[in-house]
Amino acid sequence: MVSFFIYMWSKPPQSLILKDNDVHIWMINIENYREKIKKFRDILSLDELEKANRFSLDILKESYQINRGYLRIILGNYLNIKPEEICFSYNQKGKPLLKGEIINKINFNLSHKNNYTVYALSKNNIGIDLEQTNDKVAIENIARRFFCQCEFNYLNNLPKREKPEYFFKLWTIKEAYLKAIGEGLSGGLDNICFTINKSSENTAFISHNHDKKQDNNWYFKTLNLPNDYRIGIAINSIYQPNFYYYDEFLYSL
């Protein structure tokens, strides 16, 4: 079984505090929790249970319940409330947001790939994307369809050995950005154009094709993980955040 526990990941403290310029990244292996599925179901809302039941395969249904249940457990520990008491609202594109008295206290986002899920928490708007790179992916064909013209041209002019690195880096931060602004993939990867700052891999200039305006008030980060996984993070901040990486914790289950 793949282990993501590398030097940057640590066990979380018992008391979780999210400061103004902090970004907390959590990662779990869903397979570690399938035997505890009932505990996750018990803290989900009726609409979450109904959505889980729409999955035709039991394994996908369980994965959704674990992902949402764990999100509630994480948020509950930050907000000092019971996981089942957390209420969500959803924007027009389906992005979950905190609702009620806890609204705006924490911004969060999650992404999953295969057996793994990552969660990102911040006081600022934030998005996260988890992907697994694959040498068999037809990079040029996908980029031609989903990247804007300047991004595709840049990729096309790179040496062949550098293309996969650039493609997956760009894909993850574009998707993370679209999730952060509440659009998701329906917002169109080709509707935004990134120019990555060569002097700093964590900054990029973003222009929206519909108005050509640049939005430079964002900080980006990518992480390469074992077994060809990659994380892309987008934070609505001009300052470099303080990143903390937490491995899954079991004491709350």
Side-chain angles (χ1 to χ4, degrees), residues 85-172:
E85 294 178 353
I86 294 173
C87 294
F88 296 106
S89 61
Y90 299 86
N91 73 1
Q92 293 181 341
K93 302 297 178 66
K95 180 181 179 179
L97 306 164
L98 291 176
K99 182 181 179 182
E101 294 182 0
I102 57 176
I103 191 171
N104 296 329
K105 286 193 174 182
I106 295 179
N107 289 293
F108 64 91
N109 199 231
L110 67 153
S111 180
H112 58 88
K113 189 72 174 181
N114 302 325
N115 294 333
Y116 301 97
T117 302
V118 288
Y119 303 86
L121 294 92
S122 172
K123 293 293 184 68
N124 301 308
N125 281 344
I126 191 165
I128 191 167
D129 183 46
L130 173 66
E131 300 290 344
Q132 186 177 32
T133 61
N134 187 337
D135 293 338
K136 296 180 181 179
V137 171
I139 288 175
E140 286 87 353
N141 292 339
I142 296 175
R144 184 179 289 108
R145 179 180 178 185
F146 292 106
F147 286 2
C148 66
Q149 191 61 49
C150 65
E151 293 169 339
F152 174 76
N153 291 342
Y154 185 88
L155 173 72
N156 205 36
N157 290 327
L158 287 175
K160 185 176 181 179
R161 67 180 183 279
E162 296 180 15
K163 289 183 178 181
E165 173 72 16
Y166 177 79
F167 172 84
F168 284 103
K169 177 178 182 178
L170 189 58
W171 182 284
T172 55

Side-chain angles (χ1 to χ4, degrees), residues 12-50:
Q14 290 287 331
S15 179
L16 293 168
I17 299 174
L18 187 67
K19 297 179 181 179
D20 287 344
N21 201 40
D22 286 354
V23 172
H24 292 189
I25 306 297
W26 293 75
M27 176 172 283
I28 68 167
N29 182 340
I30 297 172
E31 292 303 309
N32 291 342
Y33 299 97
R34 295 203 184 275
E35 293 182 357
K36 302 176 182 290
I37 189 65
K38 185 180 183 303
K39 293 186 177 182
F40 288 101
R41 288 185 186 133
D42 289 344
I43 61 176
L44 298 183
S45 64
L46 288 177
D47 65 294
E48 288 171 324
L49 292 172
E50 289 174 0

